Amino acid sequence: ATSPHLQAELSNACAKNQRGSMPPIENVNEATFMNLGRWLMENTSDKELTVLMAQLGLACKATSRACAKAGIAGLFGLAGEVNSTGDDQKKLDVLSDEIFVSALINSGACAVLVSEERDEAIIVPKEKAGRFCVAFDPLDGSSNIDCNVSTGTIFAVYEKLPESHFNHPTEADIMRTGNDIVVAGYCMYGAATELVICFKTLGHVHRFALDPSLGEFIHTHSNIKFPEGGGKKIYSCNEGNAPNWDTAILSSVQHFKDNGYSARYVGSMVSDVHRTILYGGVYIYPADKKAPKGKLRVLYEGFPMALIVETAGGVGSTGMFNGKIQRMLDLIPSNIHDRCPVILGSPRDVDLVLGKYKA
């Protein structure tokens, strides 16, 4: 039996909770919660796109499970290969790539797929082909996986070109500017698994959290925006590359240090950009002497993140690239694994960096 003293404490806690002074421990009503499937059906009238996004959600859940069980399942370590961009492949890179390719081909909604882990685009067989093209990095930040640091998936969805409705789809269907993206998103596998998506037509960024007990992504936040005024003073970059940076980036980072900014760098783009959107500040991965085109890939890293950041009220720029300052979404990729410099963040901080180039 419960003691009178414990009963009194429980009653007081419940009373505080009802008054709103304590956060609810469990605030998901199984009868009314908004899961990803329901949210998609209520916010898009495109059935094929709804199926595609549901399959992307399924692939994210499967990848989240694989990351969580990696140590037990013997999935840490290298697979013994390098991917399309010359990075060493981890076992989880290979597995996550297979998960996403299988889910997307079997959705019946995709015509062309581009994965960081594959040298060439996948042209989906006609009997399973649909209207959309997807570029994705199945496991961003996988170099961190062996030490249990957050990783993620990044993706961009395009609708294939009108002429491809009558002809066989090709790489040309996805080799377009970021302005043509229909949906961009990322999924972060950390202390919790979060899915962040942006439908261009809706003009908002939405957050979903994976509830492991339900096996469902639950809608948690609508219309995500950068904090007013630029938010916290945080700069995020790999300062180990500083000897190869140009004067504008060096001057910008020095300005941040001189003006009380904190340095935060995880080394996983999903984690660093997610924090930048929620807290404010700036994320920088510039071109340098060793990598004159930058390191990050245009189609499945730069473009989707730039669209999400801009929709959330931030700025996505390349900085000085090919002789001029460019908006990232305006780039035209020259190949499916093309690279670009990346500067993403609040207008306060990105404008400061770009001002150094204009000075």
Side-chain angles (χ1 to χ4, degrees), residues 59-73:
C60 288
K61 286 188 278 189
T63 302
S64 175
R65 179 177 178 271
C67 290
K69 295 185 69 175
I72 299 169

Side-chain angles (χ1 to χ4, degrees), residues 217-234:
F217 278 110
I218 306 299
H219 186 255
T220 58
H221 298 81
S222 300
N223 197 17
I224 307 304
K225 291 291 183 184
F226 272 80
E228 288 290 331
K232 294 183 179 180
K233 292 184 174 182
I234 299 172

Side-chain angles (χ1 to χ4, degrees), residues 110-267:
C110 297
V112 181
L113 304 178
V114 169
S115 169
E116 182 192 15
E117 304 303 326
R118 306 204 178 204
D119 294 337
E120 298 179 356
I122 298 171
I123 307 301
V124 178
K126 188 175 182 180
E127 62 272 15
K128 291 188 175 182
R131 290 170 32 225
F132 296 100
C133 307
V134 185
F136 57 96
D137 181 351
L139 199 61
D140 171 69
S142 58
S143 60
N144 287 324
I145 194 67
D146 291 2
C147 58
N148 200 26
V149 172
S150 297
T151 55
T153 296
I154 313 172
F155 59 86
V157 180
Y158 293 80
E159 187 166 3
K160 65 183 182 181
L161 295 166
E163 53 267 31
S164 291
H165 288 284
F166 308 101
N167 304 312
H168 292 298
T170 66
E171 278 187 8
D173 285 288
I174 204 167
M175 293 278 291
R176 295 143 68 186
T177 74
N179 298 303
D180 291 342
I181 292 174
V182 177
V183 187
Y186 61 82
C187 189
M188 186 171 70
Y189 314 115
T193 295
E194 279 204 50
L195 177 64
V196 175
I197 56 177
C198 170
F199 281 73
K200 190 173 181 181
T201 55
L202 298 179
H204 296 132
V205 179
H206 294 264
R207 287 172 68 187
F208 298 78
L210 180 62
D211 184 332
S213 63
L214 296 171
E216 293 280 359
F217 278 110
I218 306 299
H219 186 255
T220 58
H221 298 81
S222 300
N223 197 17
I224 307 304
K225 291 291 183 184
F226 272 80
E228 288 290 331
K232 294 183 179 180
K233 292 184 174 182
I234 299 172
Y235 72 97
S236 181
C237 58
N238 184 352
E239 291 193 69
N241 293 327
N244 297 309
W245 287 346
D246 61 28
T247 304
I249 297 297
L250 288 169
S251 177
S252 299
V253 170
Q254 189 59 50
H255 172 90
F256 296 142
K257 292 178 179 179
D258 293 341
N259 286 272
Y261 279 63
S262 298
R264 298 286 186 271
Y265 186 69
V266 178

